[in-house]
Amino acid sequence: MIENSRVKFFYPRLLRLRQLIQTDFVQKVMAALASRGIVLILGFITSIFTARLLGPEGRGLFGIATAITALGVQLGLLGFHSANTFHVSKNPSLLPTMITNSFVISMAMGVLLMGLIFCLRHYILGKDSLSFFLLCLCLVNIPLNICFLLFQGLLTGLQKFKNYNRSEVLNKLINTLLILGCIFTGNLSPITATVFQGAAFMVSIIYMLKAFFKSPKGLTKPSLSLLKENFFYGGKAYLACFFAWGIMRLDIFMLQRFQNLEAVGYFSLALTLIDILLMFSSVVAAILHPKLCIESDLKKKWIMTKKTTLGSSVVILLAACIVIVWKAPIQWMFGPEFIPCHRTLLYLLPGFFFLSIQTILVQYIISIKFPWSLVIIWGVALGFKFLFSLVLVPDMGIKGIGISWAIIYFFVLISVFINIHSNNFKSWIWRSQKSNF
């Protein structure tokens, strides 16, 4: 009797779990996480050996170089990757023109931003912590990185997820193999590490071009009208993403100006680990978004969002718990000199949790439209983040960054939640008026 009752208790739940795993959404999430898992492992390996071979100061220089490249990419991307996905998914015949436009955008914006950042380097860096040659190398990586992201947007629009995942893995794999090769030569430096990043982007771009040319006949002339459409479509998304990026990356420059290169090294490594942890919420959000766009009923859309957010929060909390006991693995992987990095991670955990939940929750709003209210929320958050950093970083250092993260990302999460309920209330009023009429 006891065994029968246990069977009756567990069998329906196991059956439901099996059905859940076999759903299209979960299958896509698992496939994406599997590929991201490979990227995660390669990222860990890269971070370990760059930290060990460069040391805290060298890792700090490399972190600043990477941040400058990322700054140029965020300034130059202009939401075109989101527009690429939208337009090519609606009309795949536009692919040859979109590829040409992507080359034009990456080269034009890349060259413009290379000159702009070079001229403003003293204002951005505060002091000449980068050599002239290293600065030029990280600037050259800007157009390569922009082109890489634009092509990935096209792969997503074409639903070539296997090619998308392979491009991610290939990029990390090339970079990791080149860095591992320096173990035998002992010649790894911030300069060579930056060169390796550029080489990995070039190989990945060539691979994606081959994936594109399986179907189209060839490239066409760039389309100015399509460029304008892409710009207007991706403009709001770009502004919101840029403000969000600024909140996370601003502190590298703050630490470099008010603290020292060691603090930058610890924070940049912790930021790399946070980026890896954020992969889960990013994957869930990317797969949830098109499903929400298809669903027209707001009530069903909101139920789907709530279920996904609550289920994902369990995994996010589990990841946070793992980080709490990560001190020994960090010492083993990166060396005893990077033990303070664990404390940095603990400071950033509350902000990481709020940001992860917001990343999934906001998909409900942008599946309906991309309102200006989201741009305003992130713009206000960036302004407050800058003020908090000016006040907290000089005296408290990385601990002050953790406090500002928790406050800012909690503010964004609450603002998004209020925005959702405000939109739901307006939609309910509109439906009531329409039915009465």
Side-chain angles (χ1 to χ4, degrees), residues 28-327:
K28 287 181 178 179
V29 170
M30 292 174 65
L33 287 177
S35 62
R36 296 295 178 91
I38 298 174
V39 173
L40 184 147
I41 294 171
L42 293 174
F44 261 120
I45 294 173
T46 302
S47 298
I48 290 169
F49 284 102
T50 52
R52 284 186 172 274
L53 296 175
L54 296 179
E57 185 171 344
R59 186 63 176 79
L61 286 172
F62 179 57
I64 294 173
T66 303
I68 291 175
T69 300
L71 173 64
V73 172
Q74 290 297 321
L75 288 172
L77 202 54
L78 294 177
F80 281 114
H81 62 304
S82 300
N84 276 3
T85 301
F86 175 78
H87 285 292
V88 82
S89 62
K90 296 290 185 181
N91 189 0
S93 64
L94 292 174
L95 178 61
T97 305
M98 301 290 288
I99 294 174
T100 306
N101 282 1
S102 297
F103 275 123
V104 172
I105 293 167
S106 58
M107 292 303 299
M109 297 304 301
V111 171
L112 175 64
L113 289 163
M114 286 166 64
L116 181 64
I117 294 176
F118 182 82
C119 294
L120 299 177
R121 64 189 184 278
H122 296 297
Y123 297 98
I124 296 173
L125 298 175
K127 54 185 178 181
D128 295 326
S129 56
L130 297 184
S131 65
F132 175 80
F133 189 55
L134 178 57
L135 178 62
C136 290
L137 286 174
C138 65
L139 291 178
V140 169
N141 283 345
I142 292 174
L144 293 173
N145 202 334
I146 291 175
C147 187
F148 175 79
L149 293 173
L150 292 177
F151 280 4
Q152 283 196 323
L154 292 176
L155 287 174
T156 303
L158 294 171
Q159 299 187 28
K160 292 189 174 184
F161 298 112
K162 288 184 179 180
N163 296 113
Y164 179 95
N165 293 333
R166 287 171 183 171
S167 67
E168 285 275 356
V169 173
L170 182 63
N171 181 46
K172 281 291 184 182
L173 181 62
I174 295 297
N175 194 21
T176 303
L177 290 177
L178 291 173
I179 289 176
L180 289 177
C182 289
I183 296 176
F184 304 101
T185 62
N187 293 327
L188 186 66
S189 67
I191 290 177
T192 54
T194 305
V195 171
F196 292 162
Q197 283 186 336
F201 282 125
M202 290 184 67
V203 173
S204 301
I205 289 170
I206 294 172
Y207 165 77
M208 286 188 281
L209 278 173
K210 290 183 177 180
F212 291 140
F213 288 139
K214 289 179 181 178
S215 52
K217 296 179 180 179
L219 298 178
T220 61
K221 294 181 180 180
S223 171
L224 181 60
S225 61
L226 190 55
L227 282 172
K228 290 180 179 179
E229 287 183 32
N230 284 6
F231 176 76
F232 287 115
Y233 176 84
K236 288 184 284 188
Y238 162 75
L239 286 175
C241 289
F242 176 74
F243 293 149
W245 173 87
I247 291 173
M248 185 170 287
R249 304 293 172 177
L250 173 69
D251 293 308
I252 288 182
F253 302 106
M254 287 291 184
L255 285 173
Q256 186 265 338
R257 179 180 288 270
F258 294 113
Q259 296 290 319
N260 50 55
L261 285 177
E262 281 194 8
V264 176
Y266 296 140
F267 181 73
S268 64
L269 181 58
L271 208 55
T272 300
L273 298 175
I274 289 292
D275 285 338
I276 293 171
L277 292 172
L278 285 171
M279 282 184 183
F280 174 77
S281 58
S282 299
V283 166
V284 173
I287 297 174
L288 175 66
H289 178 69
K291 290 187 173 293
L292 293 177
C293 291
I294 295 172
E295 181 58 60
S296 58
D297 187 276
L298 290 180
K299 184 176 181 180
K300 293 180 179 178
K301 192 191 294 277
W302 176 235
I303 291 173
M304 191 186 305
T305 304
K306 284 196 298 184
K307 287 183 177 179
T308 306
T309 304
L310 290 173
S312 301
S313 64
V314 176
V315 181
I316 296 168
L317 281 173
L318 179 62
C321 292
I322 293 174
V323 170
I324 293 175
V325 296
W326 242 4
K327 186 174 183 179

Side-chain angles (χ1 to χ4, degrees), residues 5-23:
S5 62
R6 288 179 178 176
V7 171
K8 290 180 180 180
F9 179 79
F10 287 108
Y11 181 75
R13 287 161 177 79
L14 291 174
L15 186 61
R16 271 192 235 114
L17 179 61
R18 181 180 176 182
Q19 291 173 346
L20 178 64
I21 293 175
Q22 291 177 344
T23 59

Side-chain angles (χ1 to χ4, degrees), residues 282-429:
S282 299
V283 166
V284 173
I287 297 174
L288 175 66
H289 178 69
K291 290 187 173 293
L292 293 177
C293 291
I294 295 172
E295 181 58 60
S296 58
D297 187 276
L298 290 180
K299 184 176 181 180
K300 293 180 179 178
K301 192 191 294 277
W302 176 235
I303 291 173
M304 191 186 305
T305 304
K306 284 196 298 184
K307 287 183 177 179
T308 306
T309 304
L310 290 173
S312 301
S313 64
V314 176
V315 181
I316 296 168
L317 281 173
L318 179 62
C321 292
I322 293 174
V323 170
I324 293 175
V325 296
W326 242 4
K327 186 174 183 179
I330 287 177
Q331 181 179 357
W332 174 73
M333 289 186 294
F334 302 106
E337 56 189 348
F338 279 94
I339 290 179
C341 182
H342 179 256
R343 184 177 298 174
T344 302
L345 280 172
L346 295 181
Y347 291 146
L348 301 180
L349 272 185
F352 154 74
F353 178 78
F354 297 140
L355 176 60
S356 299
I357 298 300
Q358 183 277 151
T359 301
I360 301 171
L361 195 64
V362 77
Q363 301 307 311
Y364 174 84
I365 299 176
I366 62 178
S367 68
I368 304 171
K369 61 178 181 177
F370 205 108
W372 277 107
S373 57
L374 285 182
V375 180
I376 295 172
I377 288 171
W378 282 107
V380 172
L382 177 60
F384 279 116
K385 182 66 174 66
F386 181 72
L387 294 176
F388 286 150
S389 296
L390 283 178
V391 174
L392 298 176
V393 171
D395 295 330
M396 303 179 68
I398 295 175
K399 184 177 181 180
I401 293 175
I403 294 173
S404 64
W405 267 41
I407 296 173
I408 292 301
Y409 287 129
F410 182 73
F411 161 76
V412 172
L413 176 61
I414 294 300
S415 299
V416 167
F417 192 76
I418 293 172
N419 200 311
I420 289 173
H421 281 274
S422 174
N423 286 336
N424 284 346
F425 181 73
K426 289 178 183 178
S427 300
W428 179 80
I429 293 291

Side-chain angles (χ1 to χ4, degrees), residues 430-437:
W430 182 81
R431 288 200 304 268
S432 299
Q433 291 175 346
K434 185 177 179 181
S435 60
N436 291 333
F437 178 78

